Amino acid sequence: MLRLSELKLPLDHAAGAIPQAIVARLGIAPGDLLAWEIARRANDARKKSAILLVYSIDVTLRDEAAVLARLAGDPHVRPTPDTDYRFVARAPEGAPRPVVIGAGPCGLLAGLVLAQMGFRPIILDRGTMVRQRTKDTWGLWRRSELAPESNVQFGEGGAGTFSDGKLWSQIKDPRHLGRKVLTEFVKAGAPPEILTEAHPHIGTFRLVTMVERMRATIESLGGEYRFGTRVVDLDFDADHAVRGLHLHDGGYLAADRVVLAIGHSARDTFAMLHARGVHVEAKPFSIGVRIEHPQSWIDRARFGPCAGHPDLGAAAYTLSHHCADARTVYSFCMCPGGRVVAATSEEGRVVTNGMSQYSRAEFNANSGLVVGIDPARDFPGHPLAGIELQRKLESAAFAAGGGGYFAPGQRVGDFLAGRPSTAFEVVQPSYKPGVTPTDLAAILPPFAVAALREALPVFGRQIARYDDPDAVMTGVETRTSSPVRITRGSDFQSLNTANLFPAGEGAGYAGGILSAAIDGIKVAEAVARSIIGGDATAAAA
């Protein structure tokens, strides 16, 4: 089978146009094309009056070797890559049961792959099952009632459950582990098109069902879940290797292989790890706001006269600007046709995030609009100083919102003019419980205010009306990524704590659902190798 890439066709091409284009592109007779299937589909909207669909197609030909030899210099005709996943090990009789802390995308895929290899993992999560967690989260949004252990950040499915459900990443993936993730998601009920779309997404409601089905698969393979279980301390042997976990209820769980997939908001766990001597270091992250525009504005700016076409869907964007003071302002976690949501996990603090359903059919588009910050420049002196900065901003946002988890907000025109907002007009903020008009410059650090004011007009020249005076900014966005890294070595174990496997976004090794899930697979493989010893790949045969 060969893969033909960069095959471009008009947006409204006929159903039979693809095989005709394959035949023409490869210079073969129609009868020599035996079969074809779409491997990937994207769009090229650089010319808005003539948007193209861009395909990668896997083709079966009568004489593939001859075509490959004739087109040897064409970078867009190559053998189809082998994307099948192969397990690195199989659990031997009596193998120890690894423990996975955290049931977000990283912990979920780590647990699934360990279960599929026969290791019967025990998965701990401080939060609740995803259905109960959804009810608790709605309690904050509808009634201003926060459940500290069951919210947007904590519970089955992780923070990605209440997001746009984006399933793409910038990481290099030579082993096609992302394909393994997407395939497992489809088995669990995700729409099959996530396997072919260039920028696949799922949406919150579908993620809930998928997470439940994947839990059932893990349990059917001998895995075990324990919800409402928070790890408060580690137990070490004389060589500072993990041998057990102390739990919040006074219980103890023996464990000599522990996957630490705790997510980017487990601040108490970060503090415990640092206090117990596990190597933790500060890392860069970003702070800012959520910005909202009517989705129709973004559609028209990106797709022109083709806006609203069913094959294009709701338009997304990615923006970045390097400021005069060397800071970077960029869009983060853009949610087409979605809403801004309350995402705090601590009482008396306000945090914003974005969420979309699969349809992306709500009125507004929203995105994080954030400024990159660095430990040496902005929060020096302690590995956990970034957490204190986050908390300071989140507490200030709570106070500016007036309590009840209302968020502070401001019209873009007022923000650029340096005056507080008193009302919202054309664009109404979507954040619940509600938004209080105010002055975001009184909450954000001065450097962030200056950077955002420099970037907004630049972005307005790239996307029409991006800096429209009636666009709305809601604060604060502080949980863009983990403020710490739990450093690990080439064996995926902590640099100074054997048998502890830091993983995913909370450990500083991923950003988003797909990259976190991929890291979960890598760590599961490392755990398996550490248990098997020697040539684990041979043991898998």
Side-chain angles (χ1 to χ4, degrees), residues 173-421:
D173 187 17
R175 292 180 54 210
H176 306 285
L177 298 181
R179 183 74 176 187
K180 164 69 170 174
V181 175
L182 298 182
T183 299
E184 294 295 346
F185 284 175
V186 170
K187 289 179 183 177
E193 55 264 32
I194 69 171
L195 296 173
T196 56
E197 289 299 308
H199 294 101
H201 73 284
I202 298 177
T204 290
F205 288 166
R206 293 195 180 208
L207 276 166
V208 168
T209 301
M210 286 166 42
V211 167
E212 290 179 321
R213 290 175 177 172
M214 294 177 77
R215 183 209 320 150
T217 297
I218 292 170
E219 291 175 333
S220 73
L221 294 171
E224 177 186 348
Y225 276 78
R226 300 183 188 180
F227 292 103
T229 301
R230 180 163 50 88
V231 175
V232 296
D233 201 359
L234 304 179
D235 186 26
F236 304 109
D237 65 16
D239 296 319
H240 205 254
V242 172
R243 64 180 181 184
L245 306 172
H246 294 280
L247 308 178
H248 76 285
D249 60 0
Y252 178 83
L253 178 63
D256 64 0
R257 300 295 190 288
V258 177
V259 177
L260 199 63
I262 55 178
H264 60 42
S265 292
R267 294 166 168 173
D268 50 358
T269 306
F270 295 149
M272 178 271 289
L273 294 169
H274 179 257
R276 297 292 277 133
V278 177
H279 192 275
V280 176
E281 61 187 25
K283 63 173 280 293
F285 63 105
S286 301
I287 59 170
V289 297
R290 279 269 150 187
I291 187 167
E292 290 189 88
H293 307 83
Q295 182 64 46
S296 59
W297 293 5
I298 306 301
D299 290 345
R300 284 196 295 270
R302 301 295 286 169
F303 297 146
C306 295
H309 193 287
D311 282 344
L312 295 175
Y317 60 78
T318 302
L319 297 168
S320 181
H321 171 66
H322 298 287
C323 297
D325 66 353
R327 294 190 185 273
T328 299
V329 179
Y330 62 99
S331 60
F332 169 79
C333 187
M334 194 267 157
C335 296
R339 66 178 66 178
V340 179
V341 298
T344 188
S345 55
E346 295 182 336
E347 294 179 347
R349 297 190 169 99
V350 162
V351 180
T352 61
N353 195 8
M355 185 183 84
S356 297
Q357 300 303 338
Y358 179 71
S359 64
R360 291 178 165 174
E362 296 192 52
F363 187 75
N364 284 354
N366 78 81
S367 172
L369 187 64
V370 296
V371 182
I373 59 176
D374 180 74
R377 185 177 186 180
D378 300 308
F379 49 100
H382 194 279
L384 305 183
I387 295 174
E388 294 312 308
L389 174 59
Q390 289 176 321
R391 283 174 164 158
K392 177 182 176 181
L393 297 175
E394 293 163 13
S395 295
F398 184 87
Y405 299 99
F406 275 55
Q410 192 171 15
R411 295 170 64 249
V412 165
D414 294 330
F415 178 79
L416 292 175
R419 61 175 177 257
S421 288

Side-chain angles (χ1 to χ4, degrees), residues 84 86 126 171 208 261 273 339 496 504:
D84 288 344
R86 294 170 177 82
R126 65 193 297 166
I171 65 171
V208 168
L273 294 169
R339 66 178 66 178
N496 67 344

